[in-house]
């Protein structure tokens, strides 16, 4: 079960609206959605939460690049909405590297066998091979931990949040009541 909401900062405080992410396929789509909710290019926060598994916050300030924080990258990677937030840049990958690898694997059979040959995989239980998978998603929090520091939620507190995280964040921002109206 997912919950997604937009919090737009205004002169009078925060305005909240729930949002559907069905038509959002990329971070760019999500950023555009946030900018549409912006009043005078003020700060807009996008909250995404999957029950108690993970939460993400995207901050959009005017035309600046979005800032992202994800509470648990491994859990988010198993989610279609989480994959939107886990960009190559956030994960420290070369942009488009995943697409290039997939295309190459499709072109050549990287299992080492020719058509018709049995697929015999050598036993490589070597403990000396400590090489990390380049496509692995790091466990735990990832992104900009200072994303909400200037709004009233220090980095250390953000990193300690687990359950009811969005309520805690909204409370620190002084937006708990408006978030509750769309929850």
């Amino acid at each position: 079960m997912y919950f997604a909401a937009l919090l737009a900062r205004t002169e009078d405080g925060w305005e909240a609206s729930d949002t559907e992410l069905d038509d959002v396929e990329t971070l760019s789509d999500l950023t555009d959605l946030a900018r549409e909710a912006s009043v005078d290019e003020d700060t807009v926060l996008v909250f995404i939460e999957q029950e108690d598994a993970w939460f993400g916050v995207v901050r959009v300030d005017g035309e600046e690049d979005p800032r992202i924080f994800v509470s648990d990258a491994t859990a988010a990677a198993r989610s279609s909405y989480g994959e939107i937030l886990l960009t190559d840049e956030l994960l420290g990958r070369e942009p488009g590297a995943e697409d290039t690898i997939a295309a190459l694997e499709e072109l050549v059979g990287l299992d080492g066998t020719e058509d018709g040959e049995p697929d015999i995989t050598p036993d490589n239980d070597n403990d000396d091979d400590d090489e990390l998978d380049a496509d692995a998603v790091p466990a735990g929090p990832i992104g900009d931990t200072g994303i909400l520091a200037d709004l009233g939620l220090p980095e250390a507190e953000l990193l300690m949040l687990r359950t009811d995280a969005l309520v805690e964040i909204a409370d620190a921002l002084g937006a708990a009541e408006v978030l509750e109206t769309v929850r």
Side-chain angles (χ1 to χ4, degrees), residues 130-154:
D130 292 333
E131 204 172 303
L132 295 175
D133 182 3
D135 291 333
V137 174
I142 190 169
D144 185 349
T145 56
I147 191 170
L148 302 170
D150 64 324
L151 299 174
L153 187 68

Side-chain angles (χ1 to χ4, degrees), residues 94-105:
E94 192 68 34
E98 195 171 291
D99 295 337
T100 303
I101 291 168
L104 287 173
E105 287 176 346

Side-chain angles (χ1 to χ4, degrees), residues 72-133:
D72 187 335
T74 354
R78 293 186 295 267
S79 156
S80 58
Y81 296 129
E83 287 179 342
I84 292 170
L85 304 181
L86 298 176
T87 62
D88 287 336
E89 182 180 348
L90 190 66
L91 294 170
R93 295 181 187 155
E94 192 68 34
E98 195 171 291
D99 295 337
T100 303
I101 291 168
L104 287 173
E105 287 176 346
E106 190 174 309
L107 286 174
V108 295
L110 293 182
D111 64 356
T113 62
E114 296 284 332
D115 285 340
E117 285 185 14
D119 184 10
I120 302 171
T121 307
D123 184 16
N124 287 336
D125 271 345
N126 254 349
D127 289 334
D128 298 334
D129 189 13
D130 292 333
E131 204 172 303
L132 295 175
D133 182 3

Side-chain angles (χ1 to χ4, degrees), residues 132-175:
L132 295 175
D133 182 3
D135 291 333
V137 174
I142 190 169
D144 185 349
T145 56
I147 191 170
L148 302 170
D150 64 324
L151 299 174
L153 187 68
E155 292 180 40
E157 288 182 34
L158 179 64
L159 290 169
M160 292 183 348
L161 296 176
R162 295 293 172 249
T163 58
D164 295 327
L166 299 185
V167 172
E168 297 284 331
I169 291 170
D171 189 42
L173 302 177

